[in-house]
Amino acid sequence: MINKEKISLGATQETLLITLWARAVEASQPEPILFDPKAADILAQIDYDFEQFSKAKSSQMIVCLRSQTIDQWVKAFLNNNPAGTVVEIGAGLNTRFERLDNGTLNWFDLDLPDAIAVRRLYLEESDRRHFLSKSALEPDWIDAVKATTSNPPLFIAEGVLVYFSEEQVKMLLTMLADNFPGGFLAFDATSWLAVRYRRRFDAIKHTCAKFQWGIENIKEIEAWDLRYKIEASLYLSDFLPYLRRFSWGDRLLFALMPQLLQMYGIHLVRLGGSPSANVLSITDQS
């Protein structure tokens, strides 16, 4: 018998339980998008009503497609830079380190204090894996990252920026570009239409979290600052074999309005500097 832990999280931070659930249950699929036994282990230790997400098939699949895509970018980054630094912004209970650790990388998990407190219940720091209990929008975590690396890091903001205002998204990108020129940021983004109708989302509707930021054309980011360059983008239309796992209602909408398949994307942006030999091929394995 496992003694389950009841945890306390803020409204936005509670969404980390959705992504944990999504990865944990993926193993039961006939053809899993990714396999994350550590997520299943953590899920079994938490006292929470995960059953409320059981019908959230679309959200569950999208989370796993997003995680698998970013995993591939991280692998490519580490193949070219085995001792490179990866910073997971809004880490929640992500277990990407467990999935991808190559024995030489340097890793930071950054999140708000309540999320990091929960993280410490189930995951451990090490000499190469560090927890930062900070807001990503406050610059006092940057020196800790700078102290460990001389090369541009890869930053990840998975399922994070949609909860920021556009001003905050711009602030974060500026902060990263100013301090880590040549670094990369992997992130996901959705359209303003999806932001407006967020209460209809099959998993997020069970929380009080609020979507704030949307963008119609990801290339708009390049106009924010001449240092930014979108290096790769994948949309739902790039994952056609998995569309059968959407609800029949969603599939009908996609058939009637194919443009909806472009409403959500996973992106990689270079934050200034020139492409280097170490990271230029990061998209080759996407």
Side-chain angles (χ1 to χ4, degrees), residues 83 103 106 128 130 160 207 220 273 278:
N106 189 43
R128 293 185 298 104
H130 321 277
V160 172
T207 75
E220 293 175 27
N278 280 342

Side-chain angles (χ1 to χ4, degrees), residues 1 5 14 29 154 157 185 204 214 230 232 246 257 261 266 272 277:
M1 179 68 70
E5 186 87 25
E14 185 182 356
Q29 291 294 327
L154 170 61
L185 173 66
I204 198 71
I230 301 295
F246 276 96
M257 295 182 287
L261 292 169
I266 310 156

